[in-house]
Amino acid sequence: MLRSLWRICDGRRCEPGHAVGWIAAPMFVSFTVVATFVVLNLFIGVINENMQLAKEQLKELRKKESARKDMDDETARDMKQLHLLGKRAKKLAKRTARLHQGLAMCEYDMKIFMKSIERKSTLYQVYALSFASRSNCCIKIG
């Protein structure tokens, strides 16, 4: 459309007797003005919507603050203690998780250690039996 407007303003592609340059100027100006208003309206709409959201958030924040001010001192202390207890509970949960992980690692290490002791004791029994058969004495193991 803008190209058509430019061609009308320019007047080169028109026949000599049909030049419409006098219509082109008002048409081009009106197109530019309308397009500017449309773009400006879009920007204003976005700004308006964001301002409305900000007002709603501010209203909610003020309600929360007024509710906090209305609480008496004892309730405020109780709320603070409850918050601190929640933090402590989270810390304890993390610590118990680490303890469970440590216990699992210890259990795994003990299993490996017991297997190595069983292998060594089996070797010891075999060695003791071979020694007893060489020396003609009876050693009863296990």
Side-chain angles (χ1 to χ4, degrees):
M1 180 162 180
L2 190 60
R3 181 184 271 179
S4 301
L5 286 174
W6 180 255
R7 284 182 185 168
I8 291 172
C9 287
D10 192 17
R12 281 187 282 178
R13 297 207 176 217
C14 297
E15 296 176 12
H18 294 86
V20 285
W22 60 274
I23 297 176
M27 192 174 196
F28 182 73
V29 170
S30 66
F31 172 76
T32 306
V33 169
V34 168
T36 304
F37 280 133
V38 168
V39 172
L40 188 63
N41 197 11
L42 287 173
F43 283 119
I44 290 172
V46 168
I47 292 170
N48 237 359
E49 186 177 343
N50 287 332
M51 288 295 287
Q52 186 66 27
L53 289 173
K55 283 181 182 179
E56 289 173 7
Q57 289 174 351
L58 183 63
K59 192 180 285 185
E60 289 176 14
L61 190 62
R62 285 184 179 164
K63 282 182 183 178
K64 288 180 182 177
E65 285 181 12
S66 66
R68 285 184 189 163
K69 288 179 182 177
D70 291 342
M71 287 191 295
D72 58 344
D73 292 335
E74 186 176 339
T75 309
R77 274 186 264 130
D78 290 344
M79 292 292 287
K80 190 180 282 188
Q81 275 186 333
L82 186 63
H83 182 69
L84 290 174
L85 286 174
K87 283 184 178 180
R88 286 184 184 173
K90 286 181 183 178
K91 284 182 183 179
L92 285 174
K94 287 180 183 178
R95 287 180 183 171
T96 53
R98 279 189 244 139
L99 284 173
H100 282 288
Q101 186 180 12
L103 283 172
M105 290 172 60
C106 287
E107 185 179 358
Y108 177 74
D109 291 341
M110 287 297 292
K111 285 180 183 178
I112 292 175
F113 181 68
M114 292 300 290
K115 286 180 183 178
S116 68
I117 288 177
E118 287 175 6
R119 275 189 244 128
K120 288 180 183 178
S121 65
T122 306
L123 291 174
Y124 177 70
Q125 288 175 356
V126 170
Y127 177 72
L129 289 175
S130 65
F131 180 74
S133 64
R134 279 191 230 147
S135 62
N136 289 333
C137 68
C138 291
I139 301 176
K140 188 173 185 178
I141 300 175

